[in-house]
Amino acid sequence: MNSAAVNLLLAGDVMTGRGIDQILRHPSEPVLHESWAKSAMDYVELAERRNGPIPRSVGDEYIWGDALDTLGRSDLAARIVNLETAVTVNDMPWVGKGINYRMHPANVERTVAGRADCCVLANNHVLDWGYSGLEETVASLQDSGLRPVGAGHDALAAARPVRIQRAPGRAVVVVALGTISSGIPASWAAREDRPGVALARSLGSAEIDAVAASVATVARANDVVVASIHWGGNWGYVIPKAHRRFARALIAEAGVHVVHGHSSHHPLGMEVYRGRLILYGCGDLINDYEGIQGHEQFQPDLGLLYLATIDPKGALEHLELIPLRRRLFRLQAASSEERSWLQQRLTEHGRSLGTRVNVSREGNLALDW
């Protein structure tokens, strides 16, 4: 590997709220406003009915489990996740939202900080507990040394990229946006006079120009630019043509090196365009859905960590995929059968995108293009 190459760790949705929050050392009040569940503990109990007892007041490392070695690698230039929850003690939910995720701020520094560098907030849960909840989320992450991106106290702050430099050399610039198709209410869009998320109302030339302009304000020569996008539905392997056009345009016209897509609850097919990586949907990494029935055809308990090596010219040199499964609200190494299943599905759904997935030398999975 070239010494000037950059290693990125990318993951999809990290939902440390609701049921997950309840087993941590500082659980939030469990009250929910869902149509069928009135307590966040209902999700813990569902998971326990399926797989057995889950410990309470767990230590800092519990939920990350077998992913810790990968997350702790010293050669990572940045670790980027979509944080799918508000981080707040605010008790006033967004009226009419129905599903409201939150994590207690006291859990962030001990549980999330140190596992990620950058938390994308341009998603459909960051305002679940209102504007004050969003403000507390941003402040809590910043106080813990994390870099939030994609939401803020006004439109300028929401659109502003972050530049991550963990060591001398090339830095990583992350810009984030979300779409209505992922479930983000149109009213959540940040404005000049109102907090909110960086919302792309369409996926056209105006959005491409906006990404290019915002990146130009912070990126330097040789930086690696990541565009992180919350888009699309939760289930299904079909990638909308609009997503393909937009991802390719970000690379061709906005100087983006990696497109980091999320919202799908399971991994989607991947593409390499002009030598650059497009992840259309990373799938969930952490959630509290373990006891929920349905969608078994997608193996919803399986997830991936994506280790991308970007060469000095900004092209993808290697992509390692670390297969994991969620059990007892903890990440565990996937079995050989589960790895094989993921390999087959990702190859099947990457075929039209020009990619396939093979077994890597390390026994994980690797992208071929």
Side-chain angles (χ1 to χ4, degrees):
M1 183 179 66
N2 191 297
S3 60
V6 166
N7 293 316
L8 301 176
L9 185 143
L10 303 158
D13 296 358
V14 170
M15 198 281 275
T16 46
R18 207 169 59 181
I20 301 294
D21 179 70
Q22 291 301 300
I23 71 164
L24 301 177
R25 293 182 179 179
H26 302 280
S28 304
E29 288 297 318
V31 176
L32 297 180
H33 301 271
E34 300 175 12
S35 59
W36 73 277
K38 302 305 177 185
S39 170
M41 284 301 300
D42 293 345
Y43 289 90
V44 182
E45 292 165 5
L46 275 174
E48 289 183 321
R49 285 180 211 163
R50 179 179 175 187
N51 288 320
I54 297 173
R56 308 293 196 268
S57 297
V58 298
D60 313 344
E61 300 181 342
Y62 176 82
I63 63 173
W64 302 100
D66 292 339
L68 283 168
D69 286 346
T70 302
L71 291 164
R73 281 178 44 163
S74 61
D75 62 342
L76 296 174
R79 297 162 296 177
I80 305 164
V81 304
N82 175 58
L83 187 65
E84 188 93 343
T85 185
V87 181
T88 180
V89 295
N90 182 37
D91 284 326
M92 294 297 293
W94 189 278
V95 177
K97 181 68 163 45
I99 298 177
N100 308 88
Y101 296 166
R102 66 175 168 180
M103 176 188 191
H104 197 289
N107 288 324
V108 171
E109 185 171 357
R110 300 182 68 90
T111 307
V112 180
R115 320 301 177 204
D117 299 297
C118 178
C119 292
V120 175
L121 301 182
N123 60 55
N124 57 314
H125 287 288
V126 72
L127 267 114
D128 278 357
W129 296 88
Y131 295 120
S132 63
L134 170 60
E135 297 278 11
E136 188 176 8
T137 298
V138 172
S140 296
L141 295 175
Q142 291 175 334
D143 289 347
S144 296
L146 293 159
R147 305 291 299 276
V149 64
H153 63 269
D154 58 24
L156 187 62
R160 185 179 298 123
V162 298
R163 187 170 186 272
I164 303 165
Q165 183 128 33
R166 298 184 70 197
R170 300 164 72 193
V172 178
V173 171
V174 184
V175 61
L177 60 155
T179 69
I180 292 173
S181 68
S182 71
I184 301 174
S187 58
W188 284 15
R191 302 191 315 203
E192 290 183 5
D193 60 347
R194 187 180 70 188
V197 304
L199 184 66
R201 295 183 181 274
S202 66
L203 297 175
S205 58
E207 284 74 23
I208 296 295
D209 292 344
V211 169
S214 64
V215 167
T217 63
V218 299
R220 302 174 188 171
N222 298 321
D223 283 351
V224 175
V225 178
V226 178
S228 190
I229 313 173
H230 203 62
W231 56 4
N234 296 147
W235 305 103
Y237 290 102
V238 175
I239 297 169
K241 291 181 180 178
H243 290 193
R244 290 196 70 185
R245 286 195 299 267
F246 190 68
R248 289 178 164 202
L250 285 171
I251 290 168
E253 303 172 32
V256 169
H257 301 102
V258 176
V259 176
H260 172 225
H262 35 84
S263 180
S264 60
H265 286 332
H266 55 88
L268 301 182
M270 295 160 278
E271 183 174 10
V272 178
Y273 177 68
R274 297 191 178 185
R276 298 182 179 183
L277 176 63
I278 303 174
L279 301 173
Y280 285 104
C282 289
D284 288 355
L285 181 64
I286 290 175
N287 63 38
D288 67 352
Y289 305 157
E290 193 173 315
I292 298 174
Q293 299 295 312
H295 304 292
E296 281 81 7
Q297 69 268 36
F298 300 106
Q299 292 272 26
D301 288 342
L302 299 183
L304 291 170
L305 285 175
Y306 300 76
L307 279 170
T309 300
I310 310 302
D311 76 12
K313 295 183 178 180
L316 179 66
E317 183 175 297
H318 181 67
L319 180 65
E320 186 92 1
L321 308 169
I322 315 296
L324 298 160
R325 74 184 315 271
R326 294 174 288 273
R327 188 174 184 275
L328 301 176
F329 286 1
R330 189 172 189 269
L331 292 173
Q332 301 178 354
S335 68
S336 58
E337 292 81 5
E338 290 165 338
R339 289 197 301 272
S340 178
W341 187 91
L342 282 167
Q343 178 189 2
Q344 293 172 25
R345 294 291 82 72
L346 292 172
T347 293
E348 175 186 352
H349 296 289
R351 190 171 294 118
S352 63
L353 304 171
T355 60
R356 62 174 292 112
V357 170
N358 298 313
V359 177
S360 72
R361 287 174 297 182
E362 293 77 12
N364 296 308
L365 302 176
L367 189 68
D368 187 20
W369 65 96

